[in-house]
Amino acid sequence: MQLLPQEMQSRVHWIIVGDGPSLPKMRLQSPPNVTFTGYMHGEELAVMYASADLFVFPSSTETFGNVVLEAMASGLPVVAANAGGVKDLVSHHRNGVLFEPGQADALIREICLWGNHGNQLRMMGLEGRKLAEQRSWEHIFDTLIGDYEEAIEHRNRKTKDRIITA
């Protein structure tokens, strides 16, 4: 947040939703254009999504990307680290933007670039909403089970090949 160029600082208001062990340190180091809401859920969280223009998600450890999917369901374009479950949700320049994890300069560059392209952001938000409408826990678990079945089949083939060739 502190690396955002001054001309963008005046245009951006960061809203940090959630809590955790890093929160006290983040509060101390944050610039004045940041609001910390603490933990939210339900209607309260929906209001936060609805009031935003862009969802920024720099985490590289998210497994399923639930918060990204929630943001997309709210019609928000997403700027996210290209890692974990997020990379399976965000189609680069279609429903959001991916940047390399841990690369703060790449994140800042994308925010600055897309902050000046409101129409494209709205289009990405609409595409993200379409994707979110197609997702459900049933779909997620079916995909996960399919991935496990494929991995087991692959392992069984390798084992069978070793037995035949041994």
Side-chain angles (χ1 to χ4, degrees):
M1 294 181 284
Q2 295 168 334
L3 298 176
L4 202 61
Q6 191 58 43
E7 65 273 7
M8 281 301 282
Q9 287 282 356
S10 63
R11 295 178 50 205
V12 173
H13 187 92
W14 301 91
I15 299 173
I16 310 296
V17 177
D19 54 22
S22 298
L23 185 60
K25 184 178 178 183
M26 287 177 66
R27 284 184 192 269
L28 288 174
Q29 294 178 347
S30 68
N33 60 335
V34 179
T35 299
F36 293 90
T37 67
Y39 176 78
M40 298 179 119
H41 68 281
E43 187 67 30
E44 221 178 17
L45 183 57
V47 168
M48 279 298 125
Y49 283 128
S51 68
D53 297 313
L54 183 66
F55 185 74
V56 177
F57 192 71
S59 174
S60 61
T61 60
E62 180 70 20
T63 52
F64 285 114
N66 290 338
V67 294
V68 170
L69 201 53
E70 288 173 0
M72 288 177 163
S74 299
L76 284 176
V78 174
V79 174
N82 188 12
V86 174
K87 65 183 176 188
D88 296 328
L89 296 172
V90 178
S91 297
H92 192 57
H93 293 168
R94 181 165 179 175
N95 60 14
V97 178
L98 295 169
F99 65 93
E100 286 309 306
Q103 301 295 317
D105 58 330
L107 171 58
I108 296 300
R109 187 173 47 253
E110 296 297 347
I111 291 170
C112 291
L113 173 69
W114 290 101
N116 294 318
H117 294 90
N119 287 335
Q120 287 97 332
L121 283 176
R122 279 187 284 287
M123 295 305 292
M124 283 193 270
L126 292 172
E127 287 298 318
R129 179 149 173 88
K130 288 179 192 175
L131 175 89
E133 288 172 346
Q134 298 170 1
R135 296 293 175 117
S136 67
W137 278 112
E138 183 177 331
H139 176 267
I140 290 168
F141 287 126
D142 286 348
T143 301
L144 184 61
I145 289 168
D147 290 345
Y148 283 142
E149 288 171 344
E150 186 179 317
I152 290 167
E153 183 180 318
H154 180 71
R155 188 193 75 204
N156 288 343
R157 274 183 288 184
K158 283 182 129 179
T159 303
K160 186 178 179 181
D161 289 344
R162 281 191 296 227
I163 292 171
I164 292 171
T165 58

